[in-house]
Amino acid sequence: MPFHKNELCGMVYLCEGLDRLSFYSPVPLVSVQVDVKVVNFTAQVEVTQQFVNRERNPIECVYFFPVEEEAAVVDFTAELEGRKIKTQIKEKEAAREEYNQAVKNRQTAFLLEETKPDIFEIKVGHLSPGAGCKIKMTYLSELPVEEGKTKLTIPTTVAPRYIPMSDGSPEATKIASIEHDFNSPVQMAMNLEVLMQTEISSVKSPSHLLAEPTRKRFKDYFEAKVKFAGHTTNMDRDMIIYIDTEEPNQPKVVVEKNDEGSSVAMLSFVPEFKLKDHQVEAVFLVDCSGSMSGQSMKLAKEALQVFLHSLPVNSFFNIILFGSSFQSLFPQSRKYDDDSLKDAKDSSFGISANLGGTEIYQPLQHIFQKPLMAGLARQVFVLTDGQVSNSSACIELVRKNSSNNRVFTLGIGSSADRHLVKGMARAGMGTAAFTTQGEPITAKVINQLKNALQPCISDVSVKWGNTNPLEGGGEVAVEIVETKKTLFGYGKPKTKTETKFSIRSQVPSKIPAIYDGSRLIAYKLLDKTMDVNDEITVKAKTTEGDLEVSLPICKDSFIQGNCLHQLFARKMIQEVEEKHEQENVDESKKLITALGLKYNLASKYTSFVGVDEKHGNSGTFMVTRHVKNQMPQNTGSGFGFSGLRSSSHCVIDSAPRSKGFAAQTDCSAMCASALSPPGAAAPAMSYGGMQESLELSNTLCRSNISSIKGQSSSSDVLRLTMFQAANGSFPAQADIANILGVKLEKVLEAGKTINSDENFTTTWMTAVVVAFLTEKCKEEKDVWELVVEKDVW
């Protein structure tokens, strides 16, 4: 009979017994502690979970837990009633068999398996009544640079995933079994330690409230320690932390030697360059599935508006919405002009999350099958929360079409599918970005568009030491010459084969496309260690000539340990899964298994398992309890969750901006006359063949612009850009003048002193707006930069 009379303490779940009577079951997970250590651009994350059986039967605890999708899960330990349980890495089937046999023998067992690269399943089997255990999972992760800051992301919940009818994979079956609740299973605590070689300016989070960091100097490092303000938090969204320091932009070479005498070199640097933009066809693929309702849809619409108003003149574009089906704004991509921009703006305002499930594969395939437009490079921008089960199939589709289509992804919401979003960008030689409530979206969008306008720099090679050849072009084709002396084919190329991908290959074997301000990391298992005064050289071929940088090896480059070896192995596993497994399943499985066993990594073919040697005494049957993941913050009503409601919150895009390139047009003198003091002589100008004298100091201009408005905000900048025409001009409208903080009549009167032609008013208002942006809104430059650069002069 159900235990409905049990005294309950802590969080409980409402369950249904065999007799279909409801009863409450205590949640076996009682605490989660996250301890993070960031050193330069890598993070070590330890997640400690404590389980207690407060029922009368033995229980099996099942918990699906997220990790960063490129992370290397390197350790899994267990402690039962104060006793340490030995755990080890084994082949997946062997580990699963050992776990199942132990549970049958009424022994407490522990199992950690990969479901997807960003989702792991933890099982605690046959936990006796009243018993408690503590498990700890450790993973290592590389950290990207975003807006000049090191970005740390720690996922805390697995959002519900849409499972297409065509997806019958074992992963889909596992994902379908994940249970969810609106309440957090427990409160999570966090300790963060940051060690940098340069001074740490700030440690901030747009997702969580942090206490003031404690700082000190630790040997050769600057240290900052941070906790949550209030110590604990719900597990309903990714934890996002930005670390501001000079560290991210400094190139680094690290050579690690482990106890076995093996050496791995790691190269990390953030390139800085600017090439001439090229003409593009931009296709925006927008997720309108049910899971996007609420805040995610608002963010997607805001991002789309910014994209549309920042497109350069002479580009072509289209918008495709998708859910269970997909629909296009135009039958074919249209030239970017006032008519097409108006159609796009009017249509995008009515977009909502009303298209059902997340069938992203078919619209991607539709885009890739379209013929390319002559002279235009196709750039695909995917805006999605990415909550699907068939992410691997989508990534493979993008990879197969990457020669003609670059793919840029924007993950939206508090728990976007990081494997899909980052994997498609990797496969499509683009970049990935994520945005959620509290984060500024405009700068991320503009950066994505800047990257897309840049010619693709994918021919990148690395020379690991002075005496080694360049690597990085991926698999190398080799010609086999016929040597048999016959009349057929002697001395001619016989066949072409590809060099075999092996553990000695550089990873990534083909260096991904590089972008200004985005971190590049590569690894190499060395045949022999490198020496002081040796160097690593990176060479990239571009349309404007070769770019090259050499990074010297010094005594501080050498370290002892195994962390780089494990990151190298994880990166190699990722490459095998995404580039080689489809063609050669058996060889790929062997290599992934060997890497997992050698470097102690959980993977799709290797798992951690541990068994308590003691046998349980309980003769009652074991029941399975799933620890439910909390629904992500501001969750929509997709996936058939008919009772879910979405909540929406106001997002103010007011985070500080990073520096951008200088504007190419100086219009400050134009604007000055609109703000000249009463009685002052009106300046004159030269425009379109009209010769007028115009002289006014920039100092006076800045002073007058300051009198327009006491303060500007990024929301003002964003509102201004919404009025811009496709050719870059701004109409003479009162709404624009109101944003500037002046009356339209005053602006127009000042313009008439220069030229009374009615056609001049648009030119004059454009000059005033551009001057306002360049003089008053310097901190928001990355928001308006592409707007100002449009060729209107």
Side-chain angles (χ1 to χ4, degrees):
M1 63 179 293
F3 304 122
H4 55 275
K5 292 184 179 180
N6 284 357
E7 182 178 353
L8 302 178
C9 131
M11 188 171 174
V12 297
Y13 288 145
L14 179 63
C15 304
E16 190 175 81
L18 296 176
D19 53 3
R20 306 194 66 80
L21 294 176
S22 297
F23 65 97
Y24 287 96
S25 169
V27 177
L29 180 65
V30 296
S31 72
V32 173
Q33 171 71 44
V34 179
D35 296 295
V36 188
K37 186 174 184 178
V38 173
V39 181
N40 295 327
F41 46 85
T42 58
Q44 175 183 280
V45 181
E46 293 181 346
V47 182
T48 304
Q49 301 166 347
Q50 189 170 354
F51 295 85
V52 175
N53 181 5
R54 292 174 288 187
E55 300 186 47
R56 296 177 182 176
N57 287 25
I59 63 172
E60 178 186 48
C61 309
V62 180
Y63 186 26
F64 289 89
F65 195 82
V67 300
E68 176 58 65
E69 65 100 29
E70 294 181 273
V73 178
V74 299
D75 199 16
F76 179 68
T77 62
E79 186 178 302
L80 177 65
E81 297 294 290
R83 306 190 312 276
K84 289 186 177 181
I85 306 301
K86 181 181 178 181
T87 59
Q88 54 186 324
I89 194 79
K90 291 189 175 184
E91 291 189 36
K92 192 169 194 172
E93 294 303 322
R96 189 177 292 175
E97 176 61 29
E98 182 175 338
Y99 171 85
N100 291 334
Q101 189 60 49
V103 170
K104 286 181 182 179
N105 295 337
R106 293 184 293 178
Q107 295 171 277
T108 302
F110 305 87
L111 182 66
L112 174 68
E113 286 188 344
E114 177 186 306
T115 301
K116 285 178 58 182
D118 57 345
I119 303 175
F120 283 78
E121 181 185 24
I122 295 171
K123 285 187 174 181
V124 179
H126 209 279
L127 186 62
S128 300
C133 69
K134 186 184 295 184
I135 62 174
K136 181 166 65 176
M137 176 178 65
T138 303
Y139 63 87
L140 306 173
S141 180
E142 303 165 355
L143 301 181
V145 171
E146 192 169 295
E147 296 188 50
K149 303 177 181 65
T150 299
K151 183 180 182 181
L152 169 68
T153 301
I154 300 176
T156 66
T157 190
V158 179
R161 297 292 197 264
Y162 175 79
I163 301 175
M165 294 294 292
S166 59
D167 189 359
S169 64
E171 292 82 4
T173 303
K174 282 276 190 182
I175 291 169
S177 71
I178 301 176
E179 299 182 8
H180 295 86
D181 196 284
F182 280 106
N183 297 313
S184 182
V186 290
Q187 295 290 291
M188 179 180 65
M190 184 271 294
N191 291 319
L192 170 63
E193 179 183 10
V194 180
L195 295 172
M196 294 286 183
Q197 291 179 322
T198 54
E199 191 166 357
I200 300 167
S201 304
S202 65
V203 180
K204 296 180 179 180
S205 172
S207 61
H208 293 76
L209 292 176
L210 301 180
E212 188 66 25
T214 59
R215 307 169 188 269
K216 69 176 184 179
R217 191 73 183 268
F218 180 75
K219 295 183 178 179
D220 295 330
Y221 286 87
F222 292 89
E223 181 187 69
K225 291 186 176 181
V226 185
K227 295 184 178 182
F228 288 135
H231 305 294
T232 59
T233 187
N234 287 341
M235 300 170 65
D236 62 349
R237 58 196 180 278
D238 293 345
M239 186 194 312
I240 301 166
I241 297 175
Y242 289 95
I243 303 165
D244 192 6
T245 174
E246 296 176 5
E247 191 73 24
N249 296 319
Q250 295 183 358
K252 290 191 180 302
V253 174
V254 182
V255 181
E256 179 188 76
K257 187 174 183 179
N258 65 11
D259 293 338
E260 298 177 359
S262 170
S263 293
V264 165
M266 181 183 70
L267 161 71
S268 169
F269 78 103
V270 180
E272 295 181 3
F273 60 90
K274 181 168 177 62
L275 302 177
K276 293 179 181 178
D277 292 345
H278 62 165
Q279 288 185 290
V280 301
E281 175 198 7
V283 180
F284 302 102
L285 183 60
V286 184
D287 188 347
C288 292
S289 62
S291 63
M292 287 285 291
S293 62
Q295 189 61 37
S296 294
M297 195 72 252
K298 289 185 177 181
L299 289 171
K301 291 170 71 172
E302 181 182 344
L304 184 58
Q305 288 293 323
V306 176
F307 271 127
L308 290 174
H309 280 277
S310 301
L311 283 173
V313 178
N314 296 326
S315 58
F316 284 69
F317 78 102
N318 202 351
I319 301 172
I320 298 177
L321 312 180
F322 74 93
S324 297
S325 59
F326 64 90
Q327 50 194 250
S328 302
L329 177 62
F330 309 124
Q332 304 290 338
S333 291
R334 277 180 55 181
K335 184 181 171 85
Y336 182 67
D337 56 27
D338 285 345
D339 291 336
S340 60
L341 177 59
K342 183 180 185 303
D343 288 344
K345 288 173 62 177
D346 292 345
S347 299
S348 63
F349 282 129
I351 292 175
S352 62
N354 61 353
L355 293 185
T358 315
E359 294 279 358
I360 189 173
Y361 189 94
Q362 286 76 17
L364 277 171
Q365 191 173 50
H366 170 77
I367 293 170
F368 297 151
Q369 289 173 347
K370 288 281 186 181
L372 296 174
M373 304 188 75
L376 299 178
R378 181 185 290 155
Q379 318 293 314
V380 181
F381 299 89
V382 182
L383 287 69
T384 180
D385 60 4
Q387 295 167 359
V388 296
S389 65
N390 63 337
S391 54
S392 295
C394 296
I395 292 169
E396 176 63 15
L397 175 65
V398 171
R399 186 186 68 81
K400 287 181 178 179
N401 292 275
S402 60
S403 59
N404 293 323
N405 303 268
R406 269 200 297 180
V407 176
F408 298 83
T409 54
L410 181 63
I412 296 175
S414 54
S415 186
D417 186 333
R418 304 186 70 78
H419 182 226
L420 178 76
V421 173
K422 296 178 76 171
M424 287 200 304
R426 274 196 307 271
M429 294 191 293
T431 56
F434 294 85
T435 187
T436 187
Q437 179 180 339
E439 280 196 284
I441 190 173
T442 307
K444 297 173 187 284
V445 170
I446 295 297
N447 189 61
Q448 292 281 71
L449 187 54
K450 284 181 182 178
N451 290 339
L453 296 177
Q454 170 194 298
C456 186
I457 305 178
S458 58
D459 191 351
V460 184
S461 302
V462 181
K463 186 163 77 169
W464 300 89
N466 293 324
T467 59
N468 292 321
L470 287 166
E471 295 183 53
E475 298 172 329
V476 181
V478 179
E479 290 187 341
I480 307 298
V481 177
E482 177 63 77
T483 57
K484 188 176 181 180
K485 294 186 176 181
T486 70
L487 292 176
F488 300 98
Y490 174 68
K492 298 277 186 172
K494 180 181 178 183
T495 59
K496 284 189 176 182
T497 62
E498 291 182 336
T499 56
K500 185 178 179 181
F501 185 77
S502 73
I503 198 170
R504 288 291 173 184
S505 300
Q506 165 192 287
V507 284
S509 60
K510 179 177 175 58
I511 298 295
I514 61 174
Y515 293 94
D516 176 48
S518 296
R519 189 190 300 282
L520 167 66
I521 296 181
Y523 301 88
K524 173 72 174 176
L525 181 64
L526 302 173
D527 295 322
K528 61 179 182 179
T529 190
M530 306 183 82
D531 300 320
V532 176
N533 299 324
D534 212 338
E535 63 182 14
I536 293 177
T537 301
V538 183
K539 186 175 183 180
K541 294 182 179 180
T542 78
T543 55
E544 299 179 29
D546 292 351
L547 303 178
E548 185 174 314
V549 62
S550 294
L551 307 176
I553 306 293
C554 62
K555 63 178 182 179
D556 294 331
S557 301
F558 297 91
I559 62 173
Q560 294 285 329
N562 206 44
C563 291
L564 288 192
H565 283 74
Q566 292 172 317
L567 286 170
F568 153 79
R570 175 66 187 95
K571 184 69 74 174
M572 179 160 283
I573 288 173
Q574 181 186 78
E575 173 134 344
V576 172
E577 290 175 344
E578 294 183 357
K579 296 184 180 180
H580 304 277
E581 194 167 21
Q582 294 286 331
E583 289 78 17
N584 198 327
V585 176
D586 292 337
E587 285 298 318
S588 296
K589 182 177 180 179
K590 287 180 182 178
L591 181 54
I592 293 172
T593 302
L595 287 166
L597 296 176
K598 180 178 178 63
Y599 293 105
N600 212 58
L601 297 176
S603 70
K604 66 190 301 182
Y605 298 122
T606 53
S607 304
F608 283 99
V609 65
V611 176
D612 183 23
E613 295 180 356
K614 292 187 177 182
H615 290 254
N617 298 321
S618 175
T620 55
F621 64 89
M622 183 185 74
V623 294
T624 298
R625 298 290 183 230
H626 286 261
V627 177
K628 299 179 181 180
N629 273 259
Q630 186 174 6
M631 294 295 291
Q633 186 184 45
N634 302 320
T635 300
S637 56
F639 312 107
F641 284 76
S642 57
L644 301 191
R645 295 181 180 176
S646 63
S647 57
S648 58
H649 299 271
C650 179
V651 175
I652 299 176
D653 189 0
S654 58
R657 309 298 183 175
S658 61
K659 295 180 179 179
F661 294 107
Q664 297 178 0
T665 308
D666 184 5
C667 307
S668 52
M670 291 183 183
C671 181
S673 64
L675 310 162
S676 297
M685 63 168 293
S686 169
Y687 183 84
M690 297 176 293
Q691 298 297 323
E692 309 274 358
S693 65
L694 173 62
E695 292 184 359
L696 190 66
S697 69
N698 284 333
T699 302
L700 177 59
C701 173
R702 285 192 292 269
S703 173
N704 286 325
I705 288 181
S706 297
S707 69
I708 284 185
K709 197 168 183 177
Q711 291 182 337
S712 69
S713 68
S714 56
S715 59
D716 290 336
V717 176
L718 190 58
R719 287 163 58 205
L720 277 174
T721 62
M722 296 300 110
F723 289 98
Q724 190 180 39
N727 68 355
S729 64
F730 287 86
Q733 293 183 0
D735 289 338
I736 296 178
N738 289 338
I739 296 173
L740 300 178
V742 295
K743 291 183 178 181
L744 178 62
E745 293 78 10
K746 183 178 179 182
V747 176
L748 297 180
E749 287 174 5
K752 288 179 181 178
T753 62
I754 300 173
N755 191 313
S756 59
D757 191 332
E758 290 184 0
N759 296 326
F760 182 69
T761 56
T762 297
T763 302
W764 177 243
M765 179 58 81
T766 302
V768 172
V769 171
V770 170
F772 174 79
L773 293 173
T774 55
E775 294 294 332
K776 187 64 179 175
C777 308
K778 294 179 180 179
E779 291 187 357
E780 289 80 40
K781 185 174 182 180
D782 53 1
V783 179
W784 53 254
E785 182 178 1
L786 294 181
V787 169
V788 170
E789 284 184 356
K790 289 189 180 182
D791 188 17
V792 299
W793 306 105

